């Protein structure tokens, strides 16, 4: 009998992303407000015949990735289905925690992609998180572990995989500090009307390191504002997002506080993003549109139910 376990993890947007100066280790301190989206990556781990972690991938029907494929902006064949894949690395991290190697299991790891690729929405990180959750449960159901690893331990294992992987495990709404991996969950009371996001995938991709390099270069040349002396997500924004007031009343103030220090560098590297931002505001009845993370996906907050 084939054992099969699936798990999902969300793409993300950064409603606030303040970036500190470049550190000696090549990273930046940040103050980030992560918000999970309803665009999910799904990873399924199934028992297989051959030892190791075999990988495969499909594109979720009707997803933003499907739009990219239809526009000729993304070829699924370019995704490396090898040990460099974040989903593989996430699954392998859980195995290592159990004292196992990939060769000690015989599984098929399948990714159903929905989050835009190279779009600033953490799709690869969501793959890693979903793979960690799926492997965690698979080992228990396969009799290779007596109980699943606790979320706290999974978060610790996720941090070395990338700054966005812990949030993809956690979901919801959270403040990220450090390089974005130190998370403080924000509790949203029941009944609070959530933001409604829409997305405009790009026909091009942007490298996150390249966007950060442009930010650093532009700051040194005076083209972008200097880093804040203190990195902090405004309490006013947190209060607005957790308020019981009707969303329509809160949206103008929320829109006025949104921030992304990577937006201007992303537009500098991909100037057509400026037009996309203008078009999204004109076409979709939005309260605000913004570059998601390092881009080039444009996210917008809809004013419509």
């Amino acid at each position: 009998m084939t054992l099969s376990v699936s798990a999902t993890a969300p793409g993300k947007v950064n409603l606030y992303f303040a970036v500190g100066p470049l550190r000696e280790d090549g990273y930046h301190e940040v103050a980030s407000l992560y918000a999970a989206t309803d665009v999910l990556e799904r990873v399924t781990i199934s028992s297989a015949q051959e030892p190791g972690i075999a990988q495969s991938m499909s594109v979720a029907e009707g997803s933003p990735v499907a739009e990219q494929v239809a526009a000729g902006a993304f070829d699924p064949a370019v995704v490396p289905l090898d040990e460099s894949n974040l989903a593989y690395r996430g699954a392998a991290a859980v195995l290592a925690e159990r004292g196992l190697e990939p060769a000690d299991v015989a599984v098929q790891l399948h990714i159903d992609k929905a989050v835009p690729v190279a779009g600033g929405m953490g799709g690869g990180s969501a793959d890693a998180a979903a793979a960690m959750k799926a492997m965690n449960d698979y080992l228990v159901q396969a009799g290779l572990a007596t109980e699943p690893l606790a979320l706290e331990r999974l978060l610790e294992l996720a941090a070395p995989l990338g700054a966005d992987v812990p949030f993809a495990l956690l979901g919801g709404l959270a403040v990220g500090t450090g390089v974005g991996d130190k998370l403080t969950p924000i509790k949203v009371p029941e009944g609070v009307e959530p933001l409604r996001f829409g997305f405009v995938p790009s026909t091009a991709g942007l490298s996150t390191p390249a966007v950060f390099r442009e930010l650093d270069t532009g700051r040194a040349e005076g083209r972008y504002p200097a880093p804040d002396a203190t990195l902090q997500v405004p309490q006013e924004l947190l209060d607005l997002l957790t308020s019981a007031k009707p969303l329509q009343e809160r949206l103008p103030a929320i829109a006025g506080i949104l921030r992304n220090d990577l937006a201007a560098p992303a537009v500098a590297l991909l100037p057509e993003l400026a037009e996309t931002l203008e078009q999204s505001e004109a076409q979709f009845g939005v309260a605000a549109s913004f570059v998601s993370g390092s881009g080039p996906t444009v996210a917008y907050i809809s004013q419509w139910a």
Side-chain angles (χ1 to χ4, degrees):
M1 180 177 177
T2 299
L3 173 61
S4 183
V5 177
S6 294
T8 61
K12 58 84 182 176
V13 294
N14 300 91
L15 297 175
Y16 195 89
F17 198 70
V19 181
L22 181 66
R23 305 189 317 197
E24 289 185 0
D25 63 2
Y27 291 92
H28 300 74
E29 296 281 332
V30 304
S32 172
L33 180 59
Y34 288 106
T37 76
D38 59 2
V39 183
L40 306 176
E41 296 285 270
R42 177 179 295 274
V43 170
T44 301
I45 293 180
S46 306
S47 54
Q49 297 297 317
E50 298 296 326
I53 303 175
Q55 298 179 69
S56 56
M57 192 194 78
S58 59
V59 174
E61 185 177 349
S63 68
V65 173
E67 293 180 30
Q68 287 184 303
V69 173
F74 171 61
D75 179 1
V78 305
V79 175
L81 298 177
D82 56 25
E83 295 182 7
S84 68
N85 191 294
L86 270 174
Y88 179 99
R89 293 172 58 196
V94 173
L95 287 174
E97 178 68 8
R98 297 296 194 181
L100 300 170
E101 300 285 343
D104 295 326
V105 296
V107 298
Q108 178 75 34
L109 186 157
H110 182 78
I111 304 167
D112 196 26
K113 286 208 70 65
V115 178
V117 177
M121 290 181 60
S125 297
D127 288 338
M132 294 180 76
K133 291 193 286 186
M135 182 62 82
N136 194 30
D137 290 341
Y138 179 91
L139 293 178
V140 174
Q141 295 187 33
L144 296 173
T146 56
E147 60 183 18
L149 298 171
L151 175 61
E152 291 76 10
R153 183 56 184 151
L154 289 178
L155 289 170
E156 292 172 352
L157 297 174
L161 299 176
D164 292 340
V165 181
F167 176 73
L169 275 171
L170 193 65
L173 188 70
V175 170
T177 55
V179 296
D181 59 325
K182 298 176 182 177
L183 300 175
T184 302
I186 304 300
K187 182 175 176 56
V188 180
E190 290 187 17
V192 171
E193 193 176 1
L195 301 181
R196 305 177 187 92
F197 296 109
F199 303 98
V200 184
S202 174
T203 56
L206 280 176
S207 159
T208 298
V211 177
F212 272 101
R213 284 195 297 271
E214 167 63 18
L215 174 65
D216 294 331
T217 300
R219 281 176 168 175
E221 296 173 353
R223 291 186 285 113
Y224 307 129
D228 293 354
T230 302
L231 295 173
Q232 188 172 2
V233 174
Q235 185 61 46
E236 181 183 1
L237 180 56
L238 301 179
D239 292 342
L240 285 164
L241 293 171
T242 55
S243 170
K245 291 182 180 179
L247 183 59
Q248 288 290 341
E249 293 182 15
R250 294 182 282 137
L251 277 177
I254 290 172
I257 304 175
L258 299 181
R259 169 177 171 176
N260 181 6
D261 286 357
L262 298 181
V267 171
L269 294 175
L270 199 64
E272 54 263 42
L273 274 179
E275 183 177 351
T276 303
L277 288 164
E278 293 177 3
Q279 289 178 342
S280 65
E281 293 185 359
Q283 293 178 5
F284 299 113
V286 306
S289 63
F290 53 96
V291 176
S292 179
S294 58
T297 297
V298 168
Y300 60 88
I301 301 174
S302 176
Q303 301 183 85
W304 302 335

